[in-house]
Tab-separated table of all heavy atoms in Angstrom:
chain	number	residue	atom	x	y	z
A	12	MET	N	-10.037	5.619	1.767
A	12	MET	CA	-10.929	6.589	1.249
A	12	MET	C	-10.102	7.694	0.562
A	12	MET	O	-10.414	8.209	-0.517
A	12	MET	CB	-11.700	7.198	2.416
A	12	MET	CG	-12.746	8.163	1.933
A	12	MET	SD	-13.949	8.355	3.305
A	12	MET	CE	-13.929	10.167	3.399
A	13	PHE	N	-8.955	8.143	1.208
A	13	PHE	CA	-8.095	9.091	0.630
A	13	PHE	C	-6.922	8.498	0.029
A	13	PHE	O	-6.297	7.586	0.645
A	13	PHE	CB	-7.664	10.222	1.639
A	13	PHE	CG	-8.905	11.003	2.090
A	13	PHE	CD1	-9.424	10.674	3.386
A	13	PHE	CD2	-9.325	12.035	1.395
A	13	PHE	CE1	-10.502	11.436	3.845
A	13	PHE	CE2	-10.406	12.767	1.886
A	13	PHE	CZ	-11.032	12.417	3.149
A	14	ARG	N	-6.399	8.920	-1.164
A	14	ARG	CA	-5.168	8.420	-1.654
A	14	ARG	C	-4.012	8.903	-0.826
A	14	ARG	O	-4.070	9.974	-0.340
A	14	ARG	CB	-5.035	8.927	-3.034
A	14	ARG	CG	-6.009	8.274	-3.987
A	14	ARG	CD	-5.667	8.503	-5.476
A	14	ARG	NE	-4.684	9.549	-5.643
A	14	ARG	CZ	-4.739	10.451	-6.629
A	14	ARG	NH1	-5.825	10.401	-7.472
A	14	ARG	NH2	-3.883	11.336	-6.819
A	15	ASP	N	-2.965	8.121	-0.784
A	15	ASP	CA	-1.771	8.529	-0.127
A	15	ASP	C	-0.948	9.453	-0.890
A	15	ASP	O	-0.147	9.039	-1.647
A	15	ASP	CB	-1.001	7.321	0.313
A	15	ASP	CG	0.240	7.619	1.160
A	15	ASP	OD1	0.358	8.755	1.521
A	15	ASP	OD2	1.053	6.685	1.370
A	16	GLU	N	-1.140	10.796	-0.806
A	16	GLU	CA	-0.453	11.751	-1.498
A	16	GLU	C	0.969	11.981	-1.043
A	16	GLU	O	1.809	12.551	-1.747
A	16	GLU	CB	-1.204	13.111	-1.521
A	16	GLU	CG	-2.607	13.041	-2.084
A	16	GLU	CD	-2.618	12.814	-3.607
A	16	GLU	OE1	-1.625	13.039	-4.236
A	16	GLU	OE2	-3.607	12.326	-4.070
A	17	SER	N	1.264	11.415	0.096
A	17	SER	CA	2.641	11.656	0.724
A	17	SER	C	3.650	10.628	0.130
A	17	SER	O	4.832	10.803	0.315
A	17	SER	CB	2.617	11.529	2.213
A	17	SER	OG	2.338	10.167	2.554
A	18	ARG	N	3.162	9.685	-0.617
A	18	ARG	CA	4.123	8.740	-1.215
A	18	ARG	C	5.042	9.436	-2.203
A	18	ARG	O	4.607	10.122	-3.085
A	18	ARG	CB	3.272	7.617	-1.967
A	18	ARG	CG	4.225	6.491	-2.339
A	18	ARG	CD	3.398	5.361	-2.967
A	18	ARG	NE	3.050	5.743	-4.328
A	18	ARG	CZ	2.842	4.897	-5.369
A	18	ARG	NH1	2.839	3.630	-5.134
A	18	ARG	NH2	2.633	5.321	-6.490
A	19	SER	N	6.258	9.351	-2.054
A	19	SER	CA	7.268	10.097	-2.795
A	19	SER	C	7.554	9.323	-4.100
A	19	SER	O	7.555	8.073	-4.149
A	19	SER	CB	8.550	10.415	-2.086
A	19	SER	OG	9.186	9.112	-1.787
A	20	VAL	N	7.797	10.033	-5.161
A	20	VAL	CA	8.274	9.542	-6.461
A	20	VAL	C	9.798	9.268	-6.403
A	20	VAL	O	10.502	10.171	-5.967
A	20	VAL	CB	7.847	10.484	-7.610
A	20	VAL	CG1	8.409	10.087	-8.952
A	20	VAL	CG2	6.355	10.742	-7.636
A	21	PRO	N	10.159	8.107	-6.715
A	21	PRO	CA	11.664	7.742	-6.624
A	21	PRO	C	12.543	8.219	-7.618
A	21	PRO	O	13.736	7.939	-7.651
A	21	PRO	CB	11.650	6.180	-6.616
A	21	PRO	CG	10.458	5.865	-7.522
A	21	PRO	CD	9.402	6.942	-7.290
A	22	ILE	N	12.091	9.084	-8.592
A	22	ILE	CA	12.909	9.686	-9.582
A	22	ILE	C	12.706	11.186	-9.712
A	22	ILE	O	11.696	11.669	-9.126
A	22	ILE	CB	12.646	9.010	-10.965
A	22	ILE	CG1	11.172	9.253	-11.476
A	22	ILE	CG2	12.920	7.525	-10.926
A	22	ILE	CD1	10.900	8.858	-12.823
A	23	GLU	N	13.600	11.800	-10.377
A	23	GLU	CA	13.538	13.257	-10.588
A	23	GLU	C	13.596	13.605	-12.064
A	23	GLU	O	14.423	13.060	-12.817
A	23	GLU	CB	14.726	13.914	-9.826
A	23	GLU	CG	14.442	13.916	-8.356
A	23	GLU	CD	15.574	14.811	-7.648
A	23	GLU	OE1	15.927	15.825	-8.249
A	23	GLU	OE2	16.053	14.341	-6.584
A	24	GLU	N	12.843	14.608	-12.418
A	24	GLU	CA	12.850	15.144	-13.860
A	24	GLU	C	14.219	15.622	-14.139
A	24	GLU	O	14.846	16.311	-13.257
A	24	GLU	CB	11.820	16.212	-13.885
A	24	GLU	CG	11.125	16.346	-15.184
A	24	GLU	CD	9.917	17.208	-15.266
A	24	GLU	OE1	10.110	18.358	-15.541
A	24	GLU	OE2	8.834	16.719	-14.923
A	25	GLY	N	14.767	15.329	-15.244
A	25	GLY	CA	16.129	15.806	-15.621
A	25	GLY	C	17.239	14.913	-15.265
A	25	GLY	O	18.373	15.068	-15.814
A	26	GLU	N	17.003	13.924	-14.481
A	26	GLU	CA	18.069	13.034	-13.985
A	26	GLU	C	18.264	11.914	-14.931
A	26	GLU	O	17.357	11.570	-15.761
A	26	GLU	CB	17.702	12.515	-12.642
A	26	GLU	CG	17.839	13.466	-11.465
A	26	GLU	CD	19.195	14.021	-11.278
A	26	GLU	OE1	20.198	13.249	-11.185
A	26	GLU	OE2	19.287	15.192	-11.174
A	27	VAL	N	19.394	11.310	-14.925
A	27	VAL	CA	19.788	10.210	-15.824
A	27	VAL	C	19.868	8.900	-14.921
A	27	VAL	O	20.427	8.924	-13.869
A	27	VAL	CB	21.125	10.428	-16.565
A	27	VAL	CG1	21.575	9.135	-17.303
A	27	VAL	CG2	20.951	11.673	-17.452
A	28	TYR	N	19.324	7.784	-15.421
A	28	TYR	CA	19.346	6.580	-14.697
A	28	TYR	C	19.665	5.415	-15.689
A	28	TYR	O	19.435	5.502	-16.952
A	28	TYR	CB	17.941	6.257	-14.101
A	28	TYR	CG	17.414	7.269	-13.174
A	28	TYR	CD1	16.711	8.341	-13.636
A	28	TYR	CD2	17.667	7.157	-11.809
A	28	TYR	CE1	16.239	9.355	-12.690
A	28	TYR	CE2	17.215	8.092	-10.876
A	28	TYR	CZ	16.460	9.202	-11.364
A	28	TYR	OH	16.086	10.144	-10.491
A	29	GLU	N	20.232	4.369	-15.183
A	29	GLU	CA	20.495	3.109	-15.943
A	29	GLU	C	19.391	2.110	-15.528
A	29	GLU	O	19.141	1.878	-14.405
A	29	GLU	CB	21.789	2.590	-15.594
A	29	GLU	CG	22.950	3.462	-16.075
A	29	GLU	CD	24.319	2.756	-16.121
A	29	GLU	OE1	24.391	1.502	-16.176
A	29	GLU	OE2	25.355	3.506	-16.135
A	30	VAL	N	18.646	1.709	-16.658
A	30	VAL	CA	17.495	0.751	-16.331
A	30	VAL	C	17.491	-0.374	-17.383
A	30	VAL	O	18.239	-0.306	-18.364
A	30	VAL	CB	16.207	1.586	-16.540
A	30	VAL	CG1	16.086	2.678	-15.478
A	30	VAL	CG2	15.987	2.060	-17.952
A	31	THR	N	16.809	-1.377	-17.089
A	31	THR	CA	16.483	-2.460	-18.064
A	31	THR	C	15.053	-2.327	-18.479
A	31	THR	O	14.158	-2.279	-17.500
A	31	THR	CB	16.794	-3.866	-17.412
A	31	THR	OG1	18.229	-3.787	-17.024
A	31	THR	CG2	16.516	-5.004	-18.392
A	32	ILE	N	14.769	-2.486	-19.716
A	32	ILE	CA	13.343	-2.436	-20.186
A	32	ILE	C	12.751	-3.762	-19.832
A	32	ILE	O	13.234	-4.866	-20.322
A	32	ILE	CB	13.289	-2.163	-21.708
A	32	ILE	CG1	13.934	-0.791	-21.982
A	32	ILE	CG2	11.834	-2.111	-22.135
A	32	ILE	CD1	13.391	0.448	-21.290
A	33	GLN	N	11.657	-3.791	-19.108
A	33	GLN	CA	11.001	-4.975	-18.634
A	33	GLN	C	9.740	-5.407	-19.347
A	33	GLN	O	9.340	-6.571	-19.283
A	33	GLN	CB	10.650	-4.826	-17.121
A	33	GLN	CG	11.905	-4.494	-16.217
A	33	GLN	CD	11.506	-4.096	-14.913
A	33	GLN	OE1	10.372	-3.725	-14.549
A	33	GLN	NE2	12.422	-4.172	-13.977
A	34	ASP	N	9.081	-4.455	-20.078
A	34	ASP	CA	7.818	-4.741	-20.686
A	34	ASP	C	7.626	-3.789	-21.820
A	34	ASP	O	8.424	-2.807	-21.962
A	34	ASP	CB	6.732	-4.577	-19.630
A	34	ASP	CG	5.540	-5.496	-19.970
A	34	ASP	OD1	5.401	-6.011	-20.945
A	34	ASP	OD2	4.684	-5.636	-18.960
A	35	ILE	N	6.557	-3.989	-22.578
A	35	ILE	CA	6.215	-3.070	-23.679
A	35	ILE	C	4.778	-2.662	-23.445
A	35	ILE	O	3.846	-3.448	-23.182
A	35	ILE	CB	6.280	-3.724	-25.090
A	35	ILE	CG1	7.641	-4.233	-25.366
A	35	ILE	CG2	5.732	-2.881	-26.144
A	35	ILE	CD1	8.675	-3.001	-25.535
A	36	ALA	N	4.582	-1.317	-23.545
A	36	ALA	CA	3.151	-0.767	-23.344
A	36	ALA	C	2.375	-1.010	-24.623
A	36	ALA	O	2.916	-1.288	-25.767
A	36	ALA	CB	3.330	0.738	-23.066
A	37	ARG	N	1.074	-0.844	-24.570
A	37	ARG	CA	0.216	-0.958	-25.735
A	37	ARG	C	0.597	-0.058	-26.905
A	37	ARG	O	0.459	-0.405	-28.057
A	37	ARG	CB	-1.251	-0.661	-25.294
A	37	ARG	CG	-1.881	-1.762	-24.591
A	37	ARG	CD	-3.378	-1.417	-24.438
A	37	ARG	NE	-3.697	-1.893	-23.090
A	37	ARG	CZ	-4.681	-1.321	-22.334
A	37	ARG	NH1	-5.300	-0.297	-22.760
A	37	ARG	NH2	-4.880	-1.832	-21.110
A	38	GLN	N	1.098	1.097	-26.595
A	38	GLN	CA	1.554	2.078	-27.660
A	38	GLN	C	2.861	1.684	-28.290
A	38	GLN	O	3.343	2.367	-29.110
A	38	GLN	CB	1.522	3.427	-27.152
A	38	GLN	CG	0.234	3.971	-26.666
A	38	GLN	CD	-0.121	3.480	-25.276
A	38	GLN	OE1	0.611	2.884	-24.545
A	38	GLN	NE2	-1.348	3.733	-24.809
A	39	GLY	N	3.560	0.647	-27.686
A	39	GLY	CA	4.847	0.269	-28.212
A	39	GLY	C	5.997	0.807	-27.471
A	39	GLY	O	7.247	0.378	-27.757
A	40	ASP	N	5.778	1.623	-26.491
A	40	ASP	CA	6.970	2.091	-25.718
A	40	ASP	C	7.513	1.134	-24.812
A	40	ASP	O	6.733	0.225	-24.215
A	40	ASP	CB	6.591	3.414	-24.870
A	40	ASP	CG	6.202	4.599	-25.680
A	40	ASP	OD1	6.590	4.674	-26.908
A	40	ASP	OD2	5.549	5.563	-25.142
A	41	GLY	N	8.882	1.132	-24.536
A	41	GLY	CA	9.369	0.257	-23.478
A	41	GLY	C	8.933	0.719	-22.110
A	41	GLY	O	8.716	1.908	-21.948
A	42	ILE	N	8.867	-0.224	-21.259
A	42	ILE	CA	8.527	0.110	-19.833
A	42	ILE	C	9.721	-0.308	-18.915
A	42	ILE	O	10.078	-1.439	-18.882
A	42	ILE	CB	7.248	-0.532	-19.316
A	42	ILE	CG1	6.061	-0.041	-20.126
A	42	ILE	CG2	7.067	-0.306	-17.822
A	42	ILE	CD1	4.812	-0.793	-19.810
A	43	ALA	N	10.199	0.674	-18.217
A	43	ALA	CA	11.198	0.357	-17.049
A	43	ALA	C	10.615	0.741	-15.815
A	43	ALA	O	9.550	1.471	-15.711
A	43	ALA	CB	12.445	1.207	-17.342
A	44	ARG	N	11.177	0.163	-14.727
A	44	ARG	CA	10.658	0.418	-13.392
A	44	ARG	C	11.836	0.807	-12.463
A	44	ARG	O	12.872	0.060	-12.476
A	44	ARG	CB	9.808	-0.690	-12.849
A	44	ARG	CG	8.522	-0.932	-13.584
A	44	ARG	CD	7.712	-2.135	-12.995
A	44	ARG	NE	6.401	-2.281	-13.637
A	44	ARG	CZ	6.315	-2.950	-14.707
A	44	ARG	NH1	7.354	-3.557	-15.425
A	44	ARG	NH2	5.097	-3.006	-15.315
A	45	ILE	N	11.568	1.773	-11.658
A	45	ILE	CA	12.578	2.118	-10.586
A	45	ILE	C	11.756	2.064	-9.317
A	45	ILE	O	10.821	2.891	-9.127
A	45	ILE	CB	13.248	3.465	-10.792
A	45	ILE	CG1	14.142	3.427	-12.092
A	45	ILE	CG2	14.079	3.906	-9.593
A	45	ILE	CD1	14.788	4.736	-12.487
A	46	GLU	N	12.105	1.231	-8.450
A	46	GLU	CA	11.395	1.000	-7.178
A	46	GLU	C	9.909	0.870	-7.426
A	46	GLU	O	9.102	1.423	-6.663
A	46	GLU	CB	11.634	2.239	-6.216
A	46	GLU	CG	13.064	2.330	-5.728
A	46	GLU	CD	13.342	3.455	-4.835
A	46	GLU	OE1	12.377	3.960	-4.203
A	46	GLU	OE2	14.457	3.955	-4.793
A	47	GLY	N	9.525	0.120	-8.518
A	47	GLY	CA	8.128	-0.097	-8.947
A	47	GLY	C	7.493	1.013	-9.681
A	47	GLY	O	6.397	0.820	-10.131
A	48	PHE	N	8.158	2.190	-9.770
A	48	PHE	CA	7.566	3.295	-10.408
A	48	PHE	C	7.815	3.168	-11.960
A	48	PHE	O	8.901	2.924	-12.427
A	48	PHE	CB	8.221	4.562	-9.958
A	48	PHE	CG	7.589	5.896	-10.439
A	48	PHE	CD1	6.370	6.282	-9.805
A	48	PHE	CD2	8.025	6.565	-11.491
A	48	PHE	CE1	5.771	7.438	-10.175
A	48	PHE	CE2	7.523	7.738	-11.858
A	48	PHE	CZ	6.291	8.233	-11.272
A	49	VAL	N	6.697	3.182	-12.684
A	49	VAL	CA	6.735	2.985	-14.186
A	49	VAL	C	7.286	4.232	-14.949
A	49	VAL	O	6.872	5.309	-14.741
A	49	VAL	CB	5.287	2.607	-14.708
A	49	VAL	CG1	5.289	2.538	-16.254
A	49	VAL	CG2	4.901	1.352	-14.085
A	50	ILE	N	8.162	3.901	-15.891
A	50	ILE	CA	8.803	4.906	-16.740
A	50	ILE	C	8.711	4.403	-18.195
A	50	ILE	O	9.128	3.269	-18.531
A	50	ILE	CB	10.196	5.116	-16.474
A	50	ILE	CG1	10.461	5.420	-14.940
A	50	ILE	CG2	10.855	6.229	-17.334
A	50	ILE	CD1	11.860	5.253	-14.499
A	51	PHE	N	7.969	5.195	-19.042
A	51	PHE	CA	7.818	4.845	-20.462
A	51	PHE	C	9.013	5.332	-21.229
A	51	PHE	O	9.395	6.484	-21.096
A	51	PHE	CB	6.525	5.436	-21.015
A	51	PHE	CG	5.307	4.837	-20.429
A	51	PHE	CD1	4.598	5.477	-19.375
A	51	PHE	CD2	4.856	3.601	-20.852
A	51	PHE	CE1	3.470	5.012	-18.845
A	51	PHE	CE2	3.714	3.047	-20.303
A	51	PHE	CZ	3.021	3.704	-19.310
A	52	VAL	N	9.649	4.525	-22.118
A	52	VAL	CA	10.812	4.816	-22.877
A	52	VAL	C	10.671	4.426	-24.306
A	52	VAL	O	10.807	3.295	-24.679
A	52	VAL	CB	12.063	4.145	-22.222
A	52	VAL	CG1	13.360	4.636	-22.962
A	52	VAL	CG2	12.206	4.198	-20.741
A	53	PRO	N	10.307	5.402	-25.103
A	53	PRO	CA	10.036	5.160	-26.558
A	53	PRO	C	11.358	4.589	-27.253
A	53	PRO	O	12.392	5.032	-26.885
A	53	PRO	CB	9.652	6.467	-27.192
A	53	PRO	CG	9.276	7.272	-25.986
A	53	PRO	CD	9.955	6.861	-24.831
A	54	GLY	N	11.148	3.778	-28.222
A	54	GLY	CA	12.249	3.294	-29.107
A	54	GLY	C	13.172	2.172	-28.433
A	54	GLY	O	14.265	2.013	-28.716
A	55	THR	N	12.489	1.515	-27.376
A	55	THR	CA	13.272	0.429	-26.693
A	55	THR	C	12.400	-0.791	-26.802
A	55	THR	O	11.279	-0.867	-27.092
A	55	THR	CB	13.504	0.749	-25.287
A	55	THR	OG1	12.328	1.030	-24.556
A	55	THR	CG2	14.432	2.037	-25.185
A	56	LYS	N	13.096	-1.917	-26.451
A	56	LYS	CA	12.474	-3.235	-26.466
A	56	LYS	C	12.860	-3.997	-25.175
A	56	LYS	O	13.809	-3.661	-24.534
A	56	LYS	CB	12.778	-3.972	-27.695
A	56	LYS	CG	14.169	-4.381	-27.941
A	56	LYS	CD	14.389	-5.038	-29.239
A	56	LYS	CE	15.784	-5.500	-29.536
A	56	LYS	NZ	16.864	-4.556	-29.317
A	57	VAL	N	12.063	-5.018	-24.932
A	57	VAL	CA	12.364	-5.881	-23.646
A	57	VAL	C	13.753	-6.300	-23.682
A	57	VAL	O	14.221	-6.887	-24.627
A	57	VAL	CB	11.315	-7.005	-23.546
A	57	VAL	CG1	11.733	-7.883	-22.435
A	57	VAL	CG2	9.859	-6.493	-23.375
A	58	GLY	N	14.370	-6.133	-22.498
A	58	GLY	CA	15.758	-6.658	-22.371
A	58	GLY	C	16.835	-5.652	-22.608
A	58	GLY	O	17.941	-5.796	-22.300
A	59	ASP	N	16.436	-4.518	-23.305
A	59	ASP	CA	17.469	-3.425	-23.451
A	59	ASP	C	17.931	-2.851	-22.148
A	59	ASP	O	17.104	-2.639	-21.241
A	59	ASP	CB	16.810	-2.332	-24.258
A	59	ASP	CG	16.664	-2.527	-25.769
A	59	ASP	OD1	17.076	-3.597	-26.272
A	59	ASP	OD2	16.076	-1.684	-26.507
A	60	GLU	N	19.176	-2.738	-22.021
A	60	GLU	CA	19.799	-2.015	-20.862
A	60	GLU	C	20.227	-0.715	-21.404
A	60	GLU	O	21.101	-0.597	-22.221
A	60	GLU	CB	20.946	-2.774	-20.339
A	60	GLU	CG	20.457	-4.074	-19.693
A	60	GLU	CD	21.598	-4.958	-19.085
A	60	GLU	OE1	22.735	-4.480	-19.006
A	60	GLU	OE2	21.283	-6.084	-18.690
A	61	VAL	N	19.591	0.406	-20.904
A	61	VAL	CA	19.854	1.717	-21.448
A	61	VAL	C	19.980	2.724	-20.383
A	61	VAL	O	19.491	2.543	-19.250
A	61	VAL	CB	18.654	2.122	-22.426
A	61	VAL	CG1	18.549	1.257	-23.645
A	61	VAL	CG2	17.346	2.056	-21.642
A	62	ARG	N	20.586	3.842	-20.702
A	62	ARG	CA	20.671	4.987	-19.881
A	62	ARG	C	19.511	5.931	-20.316
A	62	ARG	O	19.416	6.178	-21.583
A	62	ARG	CB	22.008	5.716	-19.982
A	62	ARG	CG	23.190	4.954	-19.352
A	62	ARG	CD	24.450	5.647	-19.516
A	62	ARG	NE	24.504	6.778	-18.620
A	62	ARG	CZ	24.941	7.972	-18.987
A	62	ARG	NH1	25.601	8.202	-20.098
A	62	ARG	NH2	25.063	8.958	-18.090
A	63	ILE	N	18.737	6.371	-19.429
A	63	ILE	CA	17.582	7.223	-19.732
A	63	ILE	C	17.627	8.516	-19.016
A	63	ILE	O	18.262	8.705	-17.921
A	63	ILE	CB	16.217	6.546	-19.421
A	63	ILE	CG1	16.119	6.209	-17.906
A	63	ILE	CG2	16.027	5.336	-20.285
A	63	ILE	CD1	14.824	5.848	-17.452
A	64	LYS	N	17.074	9.562	-19.629
A	64	LYS	CA	16.960	10.892	-19.063
A	64	LYS	C	15.421	11.122	-18.829
A	64	LYS	O	14.666	11.042	-19.878
A	64	LYS	CB	17.522	11.988	-19.870
A	64	LYS	CG	17.369	13.402	-19.260
A	64	LYS	CD	18.070	14.446	-20.074
A	64	LYS	CE	17.884	15.765	-19.364
A	64	LYS	NZ	18.564	16.885	-20.167
A	65	VAL	N	15.031	11.405	-17.633
A	65	VAL	CA	13.681	11.514	-17.383
A	65	VAL	C	13.170	12.920	-17.859
A	65	VAL	O	13.801	13.962	-17.513
A	65	VAL	CB	13.317	11.392	-15.779
A	65	VAL	CG1	11.965	11.717	-15.463
A	65	VAL	CG2	13.790	10.067	-15.354
A	66	GLU	N	12.139	12.913	-18.735
A	66	GLU	CA	11.666	14.127	-19.357
A	66	GLU	C	10.489	14.710	-18.599
A	66	GLU	O	10.407	15.996	-18.432
A	66	GLU	CB	11.273	13.911	-20.731
A	66	GLU	CG	12.287	13.257	-21.692
A	66	GLU	CD	13.466	14.074	-21.943
A	66	GLU	OE1	13.478	15.359	-21.748
A	66	GLU	OE2	14.579	13.652	-22.331
A	67	ARG	N	9.595	13.883	-18.066
A	67	ARG	CA	8.378	14.369	-17.452
A	67	ARG	C	7.929	13.426	-16.356
A	67	ARG	O	7.840	12.162	-16.649
A	67	ARG	CB	7.312	14.538	-18.509
A	67	ARG	CG	6.000	15.197	-17.915
A	67	ARG	CD	5.097	15.643	-19.024
A	67	ARG	NE	3.963	16.309	-18.317
A	67	ARG	CZ	2.747	16.247	-18.907
A	67	ARG	NH1	2.498	15.606	-19.993
A	67	ARG	NH2	1.712	16.802	-18.256
A	68	VAL	N	7.638	13.886	-15.193
A	68	VAL	CA	7.257	13.000	-14.052
A	68	VAL	C	5.696	13.413	-13.755
A	68	VAL	O	5.433	14.528	-13.543
A	68	VAL	CB	8.190	13.205	-12.831
A	68	VAL	CG1	7.596	12.332	-11.656
A	68	VAL	CG2	9.538	12.832	-13.189
A	69	LEU	N	4.861	12.367	-13.722
A	69	LEU	CA	3.479	12.557	-13.284
A	69	LEU	C	3.366	11.693	-12.024
A	69	LEU	O	4.222	10.938	-11.631
A	69	LEU	CB	2.584	12.054	-14.397
A	69	LEU	CG	2.725	12.838	-15.748
A	69	LEU	CD1	1.952	12.132	-16.862
A	69	LEU	CD2	2.275	14.246	-15.576
A	70	PRO	N	2.240	11.804	-11.331
A	70	PRO	CA	2.044	11.186	-9.997
A	70	PRO	C	2.225	9.619	-10.054
A	70	PRO	O	2.749	9.090	-9.114
A	70	PRO	CB	0.623	11.528	-9.594
A	70	PRO	CG	0.374	12.846	-10.286
A	70	PRO	CD	1.071	12.745	-11.607
A	71	LYS	N	1.794	8.996	-11.230
A	71	LYS	CA	1.852	7.535	-11.265
A	71	LYS	C	2.803	6.936	-12.254
A	71	LYS	O	3.068	5.772	-12.242
A	71	LYS	CB	0.395	6.980	-11.547
A	71	LYS	CG	-0.553	7.341	-10.493
A	71	LYS	CD	-1.946	6.598	-10.791
A	71	LYS	CE	-2.843	7.034	-9.757
A	71	LYS	NZ	-3.029	6.100	-8.583
A	72	PHE	N	3.395	7.724	-13.154
A	72	PHE	CA	4.357	7.286	-14.126
A	72	PHE	C	5.161	8.423	-14.659
A	72	PHE	O	4.860	9.595	-14.375
A	72	PHE	CB	3.651	6.533	-15.249
A	72	PHE	CG	2.551	7.211	-15.947
A	72	PHE	CD1	2.918	8.028	-16.978
A	72	PHE	CD2	1.333	7.249	-15.555
A	72	PHE	CE1	1.901	8.780	-17.685
A	72	PHE	CE2	0.328	7.850	-16.178
A	72	PHE	CZ	0.592	8.731	-17.274
A	73	ALA	N	6.155	8.176	-15.487
A	73	ALA	CA	6.945	9.148	-16.034
A	73	ALA	C	7.329	8.805	-17.480
A	73	ALA	O	7.159	7.703	-17.910
A	73	ALA	CB	8.277	9.217	-15.256
A	74	PHE	N	7.910	9.806	-18.239
A	74	PHE	CA	8.391	9.537	-19.596
A	74	PHE	C	9.828	9.853	-19.634
A	74	PHE	O	10.274	10.907	-18.928
A	74	PHE	CB	7.576	10.535	-20.558
A	74	PHE	CG	6.157	10.225	-20.603
A	74	PHE	CD1	5.240	10.929	-19.890
A	74	PHE	CD2	5.666	9.222	-21.414
A	74	PHE	CE1	3.888	10.661	-19.932
A	74	PHE	CE2	4.273	8.899	-21.464
A	74	PHE	CZ	3.374	9.717	-20.742
A	75	ALA	N	10.576	9.099	-20.339
A	75	ALA	CA	12.001	9.306	-20.489
A	75	ALA	C	12.589	9.062	-21.934
A	75	ALA	O	11.816	8.478	-22.678
A	75	ALA	CB	12.740	8.483	-19.513
A	76	SER	N	13.690	9.642	-22.191
A	76	SER	CA	14.295	9.306	-23.543
A	76	SER	C	15.651	8.630	-23.300
A	76	SER	O	16.297	8.840	-22.208
A	76	SER	CB	14.437	10.595	-24.291
A	76	SER	OG	15.238	11.463	-23.575
A	77	VAL	N	16.110	7.910	-24.336
A	77	VAL	CA	17.374	7.092	-24.233
A	77	VAL	C	18.510	8.191	-24.404
A	77	VAL	O	18.471	9.067	-25.223
A	77	VAL	CB	17.423	6.069	-25.342
A	77	VAL	CG1	18.889	5.427	-25.308
A	77	VAL	CG2	16.408	4.985	-25.067
A	78	VAL	N	19.525	8.059	-23.568
A	78	VAL	CA	20.717	8.920	-23.635
A	78	VAL	C	21.773	8.200	-24.350
A	78	VAL	O	22.149	7.014	-24.023
A	78	VAL	CB	21.220	9.285	-22.204
A	78	VAL	CG1	22.525	10.056	-22.297
A	78	VAL	CG2	20.233	10.056	-21.371
A	79	GLU	N	22.224	8.768	-25.433
A	79	GLU	CA	23.322	8.145	-26.275
A	79	GLU	C	24.701	8.390	-25.555
A	79	GLU	O	24.978	9.493	-25.128
A	79	GLU	CB	23.346	8.634	-27.662
A	79	GLU	CG	22.023	8.416	-28.417
A	79	GLU	CD	21.655	6.985	-28.587
A	79	GLU	OE1	22.649	6.144	-28.681
A	79	GLU	OE2	20.492	6.588	-28.713
A	80	ASP	N	25.491	7.331	-25.495
A	80	ASP	CA	26.852	7.523	-24.885
A	80	ASP	C	27.779	8.235	-25.738
A	80	ASP	O	27.698	8.330	-26.952
A	80	ASP	CB	27.401	6.134	-24.607
A	80	ASP	CG	26.683	5.442	-23.424
A	80	ASP	OD1	26.304	6.207	-22.459
A	80	ASP	OD2	26.590	4.222	-23.426
């Protein structure tokens, strides 16, 4: 009946992570997952291994950008 609001988000806004793009969203953004949590990464494609910086975290997903080395 009630959603589990206590479930913690496994990422933090502003942090950098290394991820592999696993899927593509309808809008064309790459999708990475950390502990099952979905992160949209524009400008990527399936199989890309990239460093991302989390820009915005929402309750069910997040948005990130690619960090250039």
Side-chain angles (χ1 to χ4, degrees):
M12 188 162 128
F13 296 100
R14 290 191 346 221
D15 182 9
E16 296 294 339
S17 66
R18 191 176 79 152
S19 64
V20 174
I22 61 172
E23 287 186 39
E24 217 167 90
E26 290 295 313
V27 175
Y28 300 90
E29 292 194 21
V30 298
T31 300
I32 303 302
Q33 301 172 340
D34 209 347
I35 297 294
R37 281 188 219 148
Q38 298 81 7
D40 293 344
I42 297 175
R44 290 181 178 85
I45 295 178
E46 296 178 27
F48 190 78
V49 173
I50 306 163
F51 293 101
V52 187
T55 58
K56 62 186 184 307
V57 173
D59 286 354
E60 293 183 6
V61 293
R62 291 179 70 221
I63 60 168
K64 181 177 181 183
V65 177
E66 306 291 343
R67 185 165 181 217
V68 178
L69 299 171
K71 296 185 184 270
F72 56 90
F74 296 97
S76 58
V77 175
V78 175
E79 299 298 329
D80 289 327

